[in-house]
Amino acid sequence: MQQSFVANRRFFDDRNFPRGFTRSGRFTLAEGNLLEKHGLAMQQLDQGARAPVNEEEERFLLVCRGEAEATTPYEKTWLKYKQRLAEKRKFHTVFGKKRIADGADDFSYVETDTD
């Protein structure tokens, strides 16, 4: 029986995760390592560029198509990766556009007579 998810090179997604999977803060160390080592094979299977070589890879395709529930680390990690790609990433700043536009961060000093 052939080994599952064998890839001839590491998988990186510099466009969506320029600092790497583990340093993105969106994957655990184990998930990041699994994606780097086996992500290319999983991507090729998911996109139809590669045929499954055993039952584990055939089941992976069922999971990718939504016909089966994810149970293995490969299946769960790949679905998490695809979910992270579909999410809109929020960007938080200290000052929002409205506050800058209103000039609300301008401070003025007013002297008052208390006598």
Side-chain angles (χ1 to χ4, degrees):
M1 184 170 192
Q2 285 189 309
Q3 186 179 359
S4 303
F5 307 105
V6 175
N8 57 358
R9 61 182 171 89
R10 291 216 177 267
F11 177 66
F12 299 101
D13 185 351
D14 292 333
R15 181 171 171 245
N16 297 297
F17 302 98
R19 295 180 305 171
F21 299 115
T22 56
R23 297 182 85 194
S24 72
R26 304 182 80 195
F27 299 97
T28 65
L29 185 60
E31 290 168 341
N33 289 334
L34 189 133
L35 282 171
E36 281 186 27
K37 189 172 181 182
H38 304 284
L40 182 63
M42 292 188 285
Q43 181 183 48
Q44 290 172 341
L45 282 165
D46 191 18
Q47 294 175 348
R50 167 183 167 158
V53 296
N54 57 27
E55 290 179 18
E56 187 176 18
E57 289 186 358
E58 288 173 9
R59 177 167 164 48
F60 177 81
L61 286 176
L62 293 175
V63 171
C64 289
R65 290 188 292 238
E67 298 172 11
E69 192 73 28
T71 56
T72 69
Y74 294 102
E75 296 162 353
K76 290 178 181 179
T77 302
W78 188 250
L79 290 183
K80 184 176 180 179
Y81 168 75
K82 287 175 60 171
Q83 180 185 12
R84 296 296 184 262
L85 291 180
E87 291 174 351
K88 285 281 187 185
R89 189 80 166 142
K90 291 184 180 179
F91 182 77
H92 299 280
T93 63
V94 177
F95 299 107
K97 289 179 184 175
K98 182 168 176 40
R99 185 170 179 179
I100 293 170
D102 290 345
D105 56 336
D106 292 338
F107 297 100
S108 54
Y109 178 73
V110 179
E111 285 188 41
T112 57
D113 228 356
T114 56
D115 293 336

